[in-house]
Amino acid sequence: MDIHTLRIIWFVLIATLWVGYLVLEGFDFGVGMLLPVLGRTDTERRVVINTIGPVWDGNEVWLITAGGATFAAFPLWYSTLFSAFYLPLLLILVALILRGVAFEYRGKVDDDRWRRRWDTAIIFGSAVPALVWGIAFGNMVHGLRVEHYRAGPFSVLLHAFTPYALLTGLTTVTLFLLHGALFLGLKTRDDLRERAVRIAGKLSIPTAAVAGAWAVWTQLSYGKTWTWVPVLAAAACLAGVVLAARAGREAPGFALTSLTTVLAVVIIFGSLYPNVLPLLGGESLTIDNASSTRTTLTVMTWVAVVMTPVVVAYTTWTYWVFRRRLGLGDIPVPIGRPHRPDPAS
Amino acid sequence: MSALDLSRWQFGITTVYHFIFVPLTIGLAPLVAGLQTAWVRTGDERWLRLTKFFGKLFLINFAMGVVTGIVQEFQFGMNWSEYSRFVGDVFGAPLALEALIAFFLESTFLGLWIFGWDRLSPRVHLATIWLAAVGVVTSAYFIIAANSFMQHPVGVVFNPVTKRAELTSLLDVLTNSTTLAAFPHTVTASFVVSGTFVAGIAGWWTVRSAKAGREDDASMYRSALRLGLAVLVVSGAGVAYTGDVQSKLMFAQQPMKMAAAEALCDTEKGAGFSLVAVGDLGNACDVRQITVPGLTSFLATGDFAGELKGVKDLQKEYSRLYGPGDYVPLLPATYWNFRMMIGFGAFSAALALAGLWLTRKGAIPSSDRFAQLALLALPMPFLANATGWIFTEMGRQPWIVAPNPTGDPRNRFLTAEAVSPYVDTPTVALSLVVFTVLYGTLAVVWFQLMRRYAAAGAPVVPAAGSSSGPSDDEDSPLSFAY
C-alpha cells in the first residue's frame, strides 16, 4: 500500500480508538459524576459503581491504545500535542489515578469516612477528565499558536479557555452525564432505574442544546462541506435522544447518545483532516509530515487488522456476561475489613 | 535545577514507583491462577481459600500498577518529546502492541475474574485468570523490547534528512538479543518477588497457626509456603543464570555500563569482583576495594584472565567516536545499585533455604525466628528489582538510546537532547511535586491495605456447592461486588 493511504488508515484508526474510548469511558464518567445524585445510601452508591465495576478498566485501555497508536503512527503529533498540553494531561492523569484506585479500594475498609473519601475521588476523577478532554479537543480543532507553544505549557494553558473550547468541554460533560444516566437506566432496576431515566429526561434538552450548538459552531468555523453530514446526523440523534429520554425509553436513548459520541469524533477528526494539529503562525502538523515511515505503518496495520476484531469480540462477550440489571438485592454485605484491625484475629 | 534535571528525577521516581507493583503483578498472577487450578482440579477447599487470600492481595496491588502505568506512556510525550520524535517510528510500535495485545487482555479478563465467580462456570472462570496472567506477562515482553531498544538499538536505520531513527524490521526489534536476555531476567526476578511474597506471608501464617494449635490452617498455609519456596528456588536459579547471560551480553554491548558497575577505572586483565569499596567513590577513581581476584573477568568473558576495558579507556574511545563529552555514568550509583541488587536477592535465597529445611519431610515450622525471617524477606526482592533497574538505567547514561557498537553509530541519542524543548522548569517542578505527593500518599494506603489483608489471613469460604457455578437466581446477591 502506498504511504498516503496508510496515513489515512491510521488517522481513521486513531479516530476509531477515540470513538471506543469516549463511547465506553464516556458512560463511566457519567456514572461517576452521577454517583452523588443517584446514590443516596451506601447500597445505592454500590449499585451505581458496580454497573461499571467489571468493565471500567478495559474501557480505559482504549485511551492507552490511542496514545500508543498516536506515538507509533504519528510521532510528531504525539510529541507536540503531549508536550504542549502538558498541564491538562497532568490533571487528567491525577484524576484517572485517583478514580482507578478508588474503585478498587473503596470497599476494602468497612468505614463510612473511608468510603466517602473514595466517593469524592470517583466524582472528581470522572468530572475532571470529562471536562478537560472536551477543552483539549476544542483546542486541538482550533489549533495551537506557535508562540504559546514555545512559551511553555503554562502559556498554552492560559490561552486554552476560549469560548469555543469551553463549549466543547461543556458538551463532553453534558453528553457524558446523559450517556451515563441512560446507561444506569439500562443496568439497574426498580427505583434506581426510574430515577436514572428521569434524570436523563431532565438532562436531555440542555444536552441537546449545548451539543447542537457545539456541532454547528464547529461546522461553521472549522468544517468542510462533507462534515455537514455528521453534523446533521448528530442533530437528528440529539432530537431522538430527547424524545427517547423523555419517554423513559433508555435503550434507544443510550444507542443514540453512543451514536452522537461517534458522530462528534467524526466531526472533530473530519474538521482536522488533513491536519492532525493545526499550528497557527507556523507549519501545521499533517498526516503527511507527522507520520511514521511506511514500514512502521504497514506492520502496525497488520497487527491492528488481526487484533482489533479479537479485542472487540471478547469485550462484547464481557458485556454479555454482565448483561443483568443490578438492584439493591444484588449487593452483598460490605466485604471490607473493619477500620481498626481486630486485635484478636 | 533545570527542566532536564527535574524531568530525569520525575521519570526515575515514577518509574521506580510503578515497578514496585509490576513485578508482584507479573509473578503473582500465574501463582493465583495455579492455586485456583489446584482448587478446580481437586475440589479441595483449602486451595480456594488460598486463591481468595492471595487473589485479594493481588488485586490491591494490581490497581496501583494499572493507574501508575498510564503516567509512563504519557511521559514520553510530555517530558521527552525530542526523544519521541527521534525514535517514535520504532519505539511507539511496541507500546501500541502492548496496549492492543496485552493490556486489553489483562484488564478485560481480570474484570471477568473479579466479578465472574457466580457468572461463569468454574472452568471458564479459571480460564479468565490464566488469560489475565498471559496478558500481564505479554505486556512485560513488549515493554522490555522497547527498553532494550534504548540499550541496544537494532532493526533501525538512521535517516539523515529527517534526523530520525526509522524502523527496518519490527521482528528484529522484538527479537533483539538484549530483549531475549532481559525479558527472562525480569520475569524470573518477578517470580522471585511473588515466590517470596507467597512464601513469606504463608510462612508467617504457618508458624502462627501451628502455635495457636489450628492444625488445618497450619497445613493449608504450609502448602502455600511450599509452593512459594518451590517458585523461589526455580526462579532464583533462573534469575542468577539469566543475570549471568545478560551481564556477558552487556560487556559486549554496553562495556561502559559494566565497567561502571564494577567501578573498574583502568583496563585490567583478570579483573577482580569488588565486594565493597572504601573511601569516596566519586568519579575520581581513587578507592580501595576488597575484591575476589579474577571473578569479574570470569563473569564477563568466561576466562579468569580475560581483559576488561576500564572507564578511563572507554571514555577516551567514546570521545573519539562520538565527539567530546562525558560518557561516564555516575559511578557510585551504578556500583552500589549493582551490589544492592545482588545483596537483596540473597535475602530471598536465605528464606528459601530456611523454609525448605524447616518444612522437610512434612514438618510444620513453628519457630518465631522463621516467622520473623519470613516477614523480613518480604521487601527484599522488591528492593532488588528497583536497584537492578536503577543500575540498568543509570548505567546507560548519558545516553537515552545507547549506540550499538556493531550497528550504525548515528542511531544514538543523549538524554540531555531528548527532553521537551518548550516544557519549562516551573511546569516540571509542579508535576514532580504533584506526582511525588500523590504517589507517596497512595503508597501509604497501599501498604496499609496489603498489611491489613495479609494480617486477616485466608477467608473462610462458604460450604462447597453454594459459591460456584453460574447462577441465574435474580434474588441472590452477587458473590462479589465493589
Side-chain angles (χ1 to χ4, degrees):
Chain A
M1 237 181 291
D2 75 286
I3 178 104
H4 192 68
T5 316
L6 284 166
R7 286 166 176 158
I8 294 173
I9 288 173
W10 275 91
F11 185 74
V12 172
L13 273 175
I14 287 167
T16 311
L17 291 168
W18 280 105
V19 163
Y21 178 63
L22 295 175
V23 169
L24 296 172
E25 188 115 296
F27 65 69
D28 291 348
F29 289 150
V31 168
M33 287 188 278
L34 289 168
L35 183 64
V37 183
L38 268 172
R40 292 172 308 192
T41 64
D42 184 55
T43 310
E44 286 184 351
R45 283 192 286 275
R46 289 179 68 194
V47 174
V48 169
I49 293 169
N50 278 287
T51 59
I52 56 170
V55 293
W56 72 268
D57 190 13
N59 293 347
E60 202 157 283
V61 177
W62 290 87
L63 170 66
I64 302 171
T65 312
T70 312
F71 196 168
F74 300 101
L76 270 67
W77 184 13
Y78 169 80
S79 58
T80 312
L81 187 73
F82 277 54
S83 59
F85 292 1
Y86 190 105
L87 292 167
L89 287 174
L90 172 64
L91 192 56
I92 285 172
L93 286 172
V94 170
L96 293 181
I97 288 172
L98 286 171
R99 194 185 69 119
V101 175
F103 286 136
E104 203 57 55
Y105 287 4
R106 182 190 185 278
K108 293 281 186 285
V109 176
D110 190 9
D111 176 73
D112 278 332
R113 230 167 46 135
W114 170 272
R115 282 189 285 256
R116 265 203 305 279
R117 270 190 207 156
W118 290 117
D119 285 345
T120 312
I122 291 175
I123 299 159
F124 170 85
S126 304
V128 165
L131 176 69
V132 179
W133 281 127
I135 295 177
F137 271 112
N139 278 282
M140 196 166 88
V141 171
H142 177 73
L144 179 64
R145 256 209 179 277
V146 171
E147 63 261 33
H148 299 158
Y149 174 47
R150 296 210 172 128
F154 276 105
S155 172
V156 173
L157 182 70
L158 225 56
H159 294 92
F161 303 99
T162 61
Y164 172 72
L166 289 173
L167 180 63
T168 316
L170 192 61
T171 304
T172 45
V173 170
T174 51
L175 188 60
F176 292 159
L177 271 171
L178 178 58
H179 195 41
L182 290 163
F183 178 81
L184 284 165
L186 268 178
K187 298 295 293 181
T188 57
R189 19 191 181 101
D190 311 326
D191 177 52
L192 264 174
R193 174 190 180 183
E194 280 163 28
R195 278 163 45 219
V197 174
R198 221 169 27 244
I199 288 172
K202 281 189 195 150
L203 283 168
S204 62
I205 292 180
T207 304
V210 170
W214 170 80
V216 171
W217 189 338
T218 309
Q219 175 61 31
L220 295 179
S221 300
Y222 311 103
K224 304 183 171 63
T225 314
W226 72 265
T227 49
W228 274 111
V229 178
V231 169
L232 293 174
C237 285
L238 287 166
V241 172
V242 172
L243 293 177
R246 293 179 69 84
R249 298 183 58 205
E250 67 272 12
F254 179 74
L256 287 169
T257 47
S258 304
L259 196 54
T260 308
T261 310
V262 175
L263 290 165
V265 175
V266 173
I267 294 167
I268 288 171
F269 281 77
S271 304
L272 273 173
Y273 183 86
N275 290 334
V276 289
L277 182 63
L279 288 174
L280 310 175
E283 192 192 348
S284 291
L285 293 179
T286 67
I287 63 163
D288 293 310
N289 67 17
S291 92
S292 294
T293 55
R294 190 162 165 268
T295 316
T296 303
L297 294 178
T298 307
V299 64
M300 292 297 295
T301 305
W302 281 109
V303 177
V305 164
V306 175
M307 285 312 298
T308 312
V310 178
V311 169
V312 170
Y314 63 65
T315 304
T316 311
W317 179 64
T318 306
Y319 279 89
W320 173 252
V321 168
F322 299 110
R323 66 193 175 282
R324 214 182 81 175
R325 289 173 182 273
L326 295 181
L328 299 177
D330 291 311
I331 300 301
V333 289
I335 36 99
R337 309 293 313 163
H339 190 56
R340 293 271 160 246
D342 184 358
S345 76
Chain B
M1 269 209 245
S2 66
L4 170 65
D5 292 331
L6 293 173
S7 295
R8 287 183 124 137
W9 274 106
Q10 181 175 307
F11 202 90
I13 289 171
T14 53
T15 308
V16 168
Y17 187 81
H18 177 59
F19 213 74
I20 294 172
F21 314 108
V22 172
L24 184 58
T25 298
I26 295 171
L28 198 52
L31 293 195
V32 171
L35 289 170
Q36 191 172 338
T37 307
W39 172 61
V40 171
R41 289 201 136 189
T42 62
D44 186 342
E45 195 176 85
R46 299 180 315 154
W47 294 117
L48 178 61
R49 291 183 65 195
L50 290 170
T51 306
K52 297 242 174 184
F53 179 47
F54 286 106
K56 185 80 80 186
L57 294 169
F58 171 77
L59 291 176
I60 293 170
N61 182 68
F62 181 79
M64 293 292 284
V66 166
V67 297
T68 53
I70 315 175
V71 177
Q72 295 310 103
E73 190 198 57
F74 279 32
Q75 264 189 118
F76 291 114
M78 290 164 72
N79 295 79
W80 306 98
S81 69
E82 277 303 293
Y83 169 75
S84 307
R85 187 193 59 75
F86 178 66
V87 296
D89 201 78
V90 194
F91 190 83
L95 295 196
L97 296 186
E98 183 185 25
L100 192 59
I101 295 173
F103 287 160
F104 271 121
L105 197 66
E106 68 178 57
S107 348
T108 307
F109 283 97
L110 207 59
L112 279 158
W113 185 70
I114 301 172
F115 288 86
W117 285 93
D118 57 355
R119 288 280 166 277
L120 301 166
S121 74
R123 275 172 190 283
V124 175
H125 186 252
L126 177 63
T128 61
I129 184 72
W130 277 111
L131 284 167
V134 168
V136 166
V137 176
T138 312
S139 84
Y141 189 84
F142 286 114
I143 204 68
I144 295 289
N147 178 269
S148 295
F149 176 80
M150 302 164 84
Q151 316 282 355
H152 181 241
V154 294
V156 70
V157 63
F158 183 77
N159 182 335
V161 180
T162 58
K163 297 204 165 34
R164 289 163 60 192
E166 294 180 352
L167 184 71
T168 54
S169 161
L170 183 64
L171 193 67
D172 286 355
V173 173
L174 294 178
T175 56
N176 189 344
S177 55
T178 317
T179 310
L180 299 180
F183 174 69
H185 192 56
T186 309
V187 170
T188 46
S190 300
F191 277 106
V192 172
V193 172
S194 66
T196 307
F197 187 81
V198 169
I201 291 175
W204 186 77
W205 269 109
T206 308
V207 173
R208 215 178 142 90
S209 307
K211 292 185 77 153
R214 294 194 301 266
E215 281 170 24
D216 285 355
D217 281 359
S219 120
M220 173 185 75
Y221 287 119
R222 185 186 171 278
S223 307
L225 169 62
R226 294 284 292 185
L227 172 73
L229 291 172
V231 169
L232 191 48
V233 167
V234 174
S235 60
V239 85
Y241 175 73
T242 54
D244 179 56
V245 170
Q246 207 187 359
S247 68
K248 286 192 170 56
L249 200 61
M250 227 180 258
F251 270 108
Q253 294 177 346
Q254 297 182 73
M256 180 66 99
K257 181 190 283 187
M258 289 315 288
E262 296 305 322
L264 185 71
C265 287
D266 300 299
T267 300
E268 286 180 33
K269 278 187 181 159
F273 184 85
S274 162
L275 294 176
V276 288
V278 188
D280 173 29
L281 192 68
N283 277 17
C285 284
D286 56 352
V287 285
R288 277 180 301 148
Q289 304 180 358
I290 301 167
T291 59
V292 180
L295 186 57
T296 296
S297 279
F298 177 71
L299 290 174
T301 63
D303 175 3
F304 280 101
E307 184 183 271
L308 293 180
K309 281 184 187 165
V311 166
K312 287 176 186 164
D313 283 343
L314 286 165
Q315 166 66 24
K316 275 185 214 141
E317 187 184 328
Y318 287 4
S319 300
R320 199 177 65 243
L321 284 171
Y322 310 123
D326 183 0
Y327 298 101
V328 184
L330 204 57
L331 293 181
T334 50
Y335 177 87
W336 284 115
N337 276 296
F338 191 69
R339 265 141 203 83
M340 285 195 277
M341 170 182 76
I342 296 168
F344 287 130
F347 254 88
S348 293
L351 174 69
L353 291 177
L356 285 174
W357 176 251
L358 292 170
T359 56
R360 72 191 186 282
K361 293 178 193 159
I364 293 179
S366 59
S367 90
D368 281 333
R369 196 158 298 168
F370 178 68
Q372 283 161 0
L373 173 69
L375 290 187
L376 194 66
L378 282 181
M380 298 304 168
F382 288 94
L383 293 168
N385 269 274
T387 47
W389 275 106
I390 293 170
F391 159 68
T392 302
E393 296 299 290
M394 289 192 77
R396 194 188 59 231
Q397 302 304 324
W399 304 108
I400 194 163
V401 178
N404 180 343
T406 58
D408 184 343
R410 291 174 299 175
N411 288 314
R412 64 175 201 266
F413 213 54
L414 291 166
T415 309
E417 304 171 306
V419 75
S420 301
Y422 305 123
V423 174
D424 47 17
T425 306
T427 306
V428 192
L430 175 69
S431 62
L432 178 58
V433 169
V434 167
F435 282 130
T436 309
V437 171
L438 178 65
Y439 280 16
T441 313
L442 289 177
V444 174
V445 175
W446 168 82
F447 180 75
Q448 285 180 341
L449 279 179
M450 291 294 269
R451 196 180 56 180
R452 182 171 294 182
Y453 275 84
V460 178
V461 291
S466 69
S467 71
S468 62
S471 145
D472 287 322
D473 183 358
E474 284 283 325
D475 296 327
S476 71
L478 300 169
S479 68
F480 177 84
Y482 277 149

